[in-house]
């Protein structure tokens, strides 16, 4: 499961103006033409009903009327449906003069039902959350962030920090909540999967210019424990990073190299939804590790003097969800062209195998992470469509597309796998114990069968795994003797990876 899919339900938040189209960019990596239909099933002013064909290596742009952007705190039906005959990749751009950001579209088979969102403060024109329904009769529960220092006004009520907003929405309903405060850490859960976006109508990040912030969020079950950060290219003001906890007492360690000088820091987030912010210099390459799953978001800082750029918010993929290839296009800004860059993280030994549109990467801006196993860097990109992959289909790497213009910036992950690596799976222990018992009674292929059972068990939480492992150990030792120690070692390795 990854960001490629055949169905997407998307939406656009309010930008500080409504003079230009929003845009969807759609492509595919399939070797055959793919038919795509874009519609607004419950919005008719104007209605979207567009059919097109995409091919590998070609990106199609679809303009979306600004009337489909949400306005204020409101409930409407502006959900956009994208359907395809085979897997496609979708990127969204919410674009206005000097106010733009972009997001990676997440397909319906990879969205979830539990989220925390991010934004920034100060917000010149409010921070905002957008929830788009996918199924009729979806029950929503929204707990406002414990650090929210202003009210949310919705349906005649005033809601403050730590309060719940409860309602039911249908497919393609769009709920936008806005606040003059910072909604970072707001919790959303639902009984059916929903698409969730957040950001700011317009905000500065640090001192300087302001821009629109937007991202589609990854659900909590897909958060990871290991992240790698690459600084925004060709800037000197550094970057902000926010870390959001999904569980109590989350311990986070930052290990970086700043111009080859080691940097180490630890912090603890006490409650789910708690978050912390750190500033990294423009030469810092760092690992962010935690004992429990976290969310990591990077912010490009405001333009200062003539160091061209503007604010942008980028959801970083955990290293556990890096992919083996990415297909994307560089957009045009409202006032011309962006200076675009592909930012990457890859194992040092795999660097020479990376390919861009079939040719070598040839990046000269490469820096080591602590330990030297991984490197990060960037390459400048001309306007166009790009296919970046490794010569080995099993070598994975991380990628972010970033672009800067005069008082405009965008940024988003170029893709990621979207496996539920942070999902607690409830399973009846007696059923697995029975499977182990049956496997241990086999007279042929005993070790192979038991190994498969143990690998399945290793996918579950550690406590359950240990109970299952202990319950089957004596029986398997009797049947397989010393081989069982290798079996236990293998299973533990499977669980750790």
């Amino acid at each position: 499961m990854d960001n490629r899919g055949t169905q997407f339900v998307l939406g656009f938040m309010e930008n500080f103006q409504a003079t230009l189209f929003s845009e969807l960019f759609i492509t595919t990596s399939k070797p055959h033409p793919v038919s795509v239909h874009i519609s607004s099933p419950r919005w008719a002013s104007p209605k979207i009903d567009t059919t097109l064909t995409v091919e590998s290596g070609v990106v199609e742009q679809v303009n979306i009327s600004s009337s489909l952007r949400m306005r204020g705190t409101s409930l409407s039906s502006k959900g956009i449906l994208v359907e395809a005959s085979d897997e496609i990749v979708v990127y969204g751009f919410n674009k206005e003069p000097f106010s733009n950001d972009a997001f990676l579209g997440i397909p319906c088979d990879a969205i979830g039902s539990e989220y925390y969102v991010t934004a920034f403060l100060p917000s010149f024109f409010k921070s905002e959350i957008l929830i788009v329904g996918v199924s009729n009769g979806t029950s929503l529960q929204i707990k406002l962030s414990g650090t929210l220092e202003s009210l949310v006004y919705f349906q005649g009520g005033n809601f403050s920090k730590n309060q719940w907003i409860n309602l039911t929405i249908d497919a393609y309903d769009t709920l936008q909540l806005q606040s003059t405060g910072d909604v970072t850490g707001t919790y959303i859960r639902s009984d059916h999967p929903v698409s969730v976006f957040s950001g700011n109508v317009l905000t500065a990040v640090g001192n300087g210019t302001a821009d629109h912030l937007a991202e589609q969020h990854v659900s909590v079950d897909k958060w990871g424990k290991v992240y790698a950060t690459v600084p925004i290219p060709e800037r000197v003001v550094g970057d902000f990073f926010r870390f959001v906890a999904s569980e109590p007492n989350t311990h986070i360690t930052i290990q970086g190299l700043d111009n080859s000088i080691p940097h180490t820091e630890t912090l603890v987030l006490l409650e789910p939804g708690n978050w912390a912010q750190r500033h990294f210099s423009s030469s810092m390459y760092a690992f962010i590790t935690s004992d429990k799953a976290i969310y990591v978001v990077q912010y490009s800082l405001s333009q200062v003097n003539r160091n061209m750029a503007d604010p942008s918010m980028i959801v970083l993929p955990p290293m556990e969800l890096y992919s083996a290839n990415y297909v994307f296009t560089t957009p045009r800004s409202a006032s011309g062209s962006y200076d675009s860059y592909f930012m990457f993280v890859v194992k040092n030994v795999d660097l020479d195998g990376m390919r861009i549109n079939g040719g070598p990467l040839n990046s000269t801006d490469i820096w080591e992470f602590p330990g030297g196993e991984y490197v990060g860097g960037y390459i400048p990109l001309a306007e166009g469509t790009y296919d970046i992959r490794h010569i080995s289909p099993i070598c994975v790497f991380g990628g972010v597309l970033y672009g800067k213009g005069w008082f405009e910036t965008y940024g988003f992950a170029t893709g990621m796998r979207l496996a539920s690596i942070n999902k607690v799976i409830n399973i009846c222990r007696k059923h697995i114990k029975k499977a182990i018992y049956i496997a241990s009674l086999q007279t042929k292929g005993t070790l192979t069968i038991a190994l498969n059972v143990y690998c399945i068990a290793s996918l579950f939480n550690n406590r359950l795994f240990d109970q299952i492992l202990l319950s089957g150990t004596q029986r398997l030792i009797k049947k397989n003797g010393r081989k069982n120690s290798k079996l236990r070692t293998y299973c533990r390795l499977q669980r750790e990876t």
Side-chain angles (χ1 to χ4, degrees):
M1 186 181 298
D2 55 23
N3 62 289
R4 300 171 175 87
T6 59
Q7 185 181 64
F8 298 74
V9 175
L10 308 172
F12 286 95
M13 298 182 296
E14 182 177 354
N15 204 327
F16 92 109
Q17 296 182 90
T19 62
L20 300 178
F21 289 112
S22 299
E23 298 166 345
L24 294 177
F25 289 86
I26 303 172
T27 189
T28 185
S29 59
K30 296 298 179 180
H32 52 265
V34 176
S35 177
V36 182
H37 183 233
I38 305 98
S39 62
S40 54
R42 297 179 55 207
W43 185 259
S45 301
K47 184 177 181 63
I48 301 174
D49 187 8
T50 301
T51 300
L52 52 86
T53 300
V54 296
E55 298 181 0
S56 179
V58 178
V59 176
E60 297 291 338
Q61 177 180 327
V62 180
N63 291 333
I64 305 295
S65 169
S66 61
S67 69
L68 275 94
R69 290 187 195 142
M70 296 295 290
R71 292 185 62 83
T73 294
S74 59
L75 178 62
S76 188
S77 300
K78 298 184 178 183
I80 299 167
L81 174 63
V82 181
E83 298 175 293
S85 59
D86 209 333
E87 287 187 336
I88 57 173
V89 176
V90 180
Y91 306 97
F93 289 80
N94 194 333
K95 185 167 72 177
E96 286 294 331
F98 311 117
S99 181
N100 177 68
D101 207 357
F103 60 84
L104 172 69
I106 299 177
C108 290
D109 64 357
I111 58 176
S113 55
E114 186 179 20
Y115 295 87
Y116 290 93
V117 301
T118 56
F120 210 79
L121 194 73
S123 183
F124 294 175
F125 291 88
K126 299 184 179 181
S127 61
E128 53 191 354
I129 302 168
L130 172 61
I131 303 168
V132 186
V134 176
S135 303
N136 289 335
T138 296
S139 175
L140 277 181
Q141 296 176 305
I142 304 161
K143 184 181 181 182
L144 297 177
S145 172
T147 58
L148 183 65
E149 296 299 332
S150 63
L151 297 175
V152 172
Y153 303 95
F154 178 63
Q155 293 186 341
N158 299 330
F159 298 87
S160 58
K161 61 182 180 182
N162 289 321
Q163 287 192 312
W164 290 87
I165 300 174
N166 302 309
L167 71 157
T168 299
I169 62 172
D170 290 328
Y172 317 113
D173 276 350
T174 45
L175 170 66
Q176 181 170 272
L177 301 176
Q178 292 185 334
S179 173
T180 56
D182 186 346
V183 296
T184 298
T186 293
Y187 175 63
I188 299 164
R189 69 186 180 199
S190 58
D191 62 350
H192 297 291
V194 292
S195 297
V196 175
F197 306 77
S198 76
N200 293 73
V201 178
L202 192 74
T203 190
V205 177
N207 298 318
T209 57
D211 207 343
H212 179 62
L213 300 184
E215 269 288 15
Q216 181 170 4
H217 287 291
V218 176
S219 54
V220 173
D221 60 297
K222 300 168 183 67
W223 291 11
K225 298 179 181 179
V226 185
Y227 294 79
T229 70
V230 174
I232 297 296
E234 299 183 5
R235 300 210 68 194
V236 297
V237 294
D239 308 293
F240 281 130
F241 291 85
R242 285 189 173 182
F243 320 117
V244 185
S246 63
E247 298 182 53
N249 298 312
T250 296
H251 295 255
I252 299 173
T253 301
I254 302 169
Q255 292 181 301
L257 288 176
D258 190 347
N259 277 327
S260 300
I261 299 173
H263 172 93
T264 302
E265 181 183 357
T266 59
L267 59 143
V268 180
L269 300 176
L270 296 177
E271 298 293 338
N274 284 180
W275 56 274
Q277 178 176 295
R278 292 294 185 271
H279 179 264
F280 292 179
S281 80
S282 290
S283 55
M284 171 87 99
Y285 287 75
F287 288 128
I288 314 297
T289 59
S290 61
D291 62 342
K292 299 170 184 176
I294 58 172
Y295 206 34
V296 179
V297 179
Q298 183 173 4
Y299 295 84
S300 169
L301 269 69
S302 296
Q303 181 167 316
V304 178
N305 298 323
R306 299 189 68 82
N307 186 214
M308 186 173 69
D310 230 5
S312 180
M313 183 172 72
I314 304 168
V315 170
L316 295 185
M319 296 184 75
E320 301 98 313
L321 296 183
Y322 282 179
S323 187
N325 75 284
Y326 306 101
V327 179
F328 58 87
T329 191
T330 58
R332 289 183 59 83
S333 75
S335 55
S337 299
Y338 289 110
D339 294 338
S340 293
Y341 304 85
F342 177 70
M343 302 157 55
F344 61 87
V345 177
V346 66
K347 282 188 175 182
N348 206 342
V349 296
D350 295 332
L351 179 63
D352 290 342
M354 292 182 67
R355 296 291 182 267
I356 178 169
N357 290 345
L361 201 64
N362 290 334
S363 174
T364 58
D365 294 285
I366 298 171
W367 299 82
E368 284 191 352
F369 285 89
E373 182 181 4
Y374 283 86
V375 294
Y378 65 88
I379 54 171
L381 301 175
E383 282 190 13
T385 299
Y386 293 90
D387 185 323
I388 299 182
R389 62 182 64 228
H390 198 277
I391 56 175
S392 170
I394 63 172
C395 288
V396 298
F397 56 95
V400 167
L401 181 63
Y402 168 79
K404 61 181 182 179
W406 195 245
F407 300 113
E408 286 186 45
T409 296
Y410 73 89
F412 56 90
T414 50
M416 68 182 84
R417 295 186 300 116
L418 289 167
S420 295
I421 57 175
N422 186 38
K423 185 175 183 179
V424 177
I425 302 176
N426 295 316
I427 188 167
C428 182
R429 186 171 65 242
K430 69 178 183 181
H431 291 158
I432 295 184
K433 290 175 68 176
K434 184 177 180 180
I436 293 172
Y437 174 78
I438 293 172
S440 69
L441 296 178
Q442 303 300 310
T443 58
K444 182 178 180 180
T446 301
L447 188 61
T448 300
I449 295 170
L451 180 61
N452 289 334
V453 173
Y454 270 84
C455 287
I456 292 171
S458 72
L459 296 175
F460 308 132
N461 63 70
N462 291 354
R463 184 177 179 183
L464 176 59
F465 174 82
D466 290 338
Q467 291 173 334
I468 296 167
L469 186 62
L470 289 173
S471 70
T473 296
Q474 290 182 338
R475 187 175 299 280
L476 287 170
I477 286 175
K478 290 180 182 178
K479 193 72 178 177
N480 296 294
R482 295 178 62 187
K483 292 181 182 179
N484 195 66
S485 64
K486 295 182 180 179
L487 173 62
R488 292 198 301 270
T489 300
Y490 179 84
C491 292
R492 287 198 177 96
L493 289 173
Q494 290 295 310
R495 181 183 65 195
E496 292 169 2
T497 56

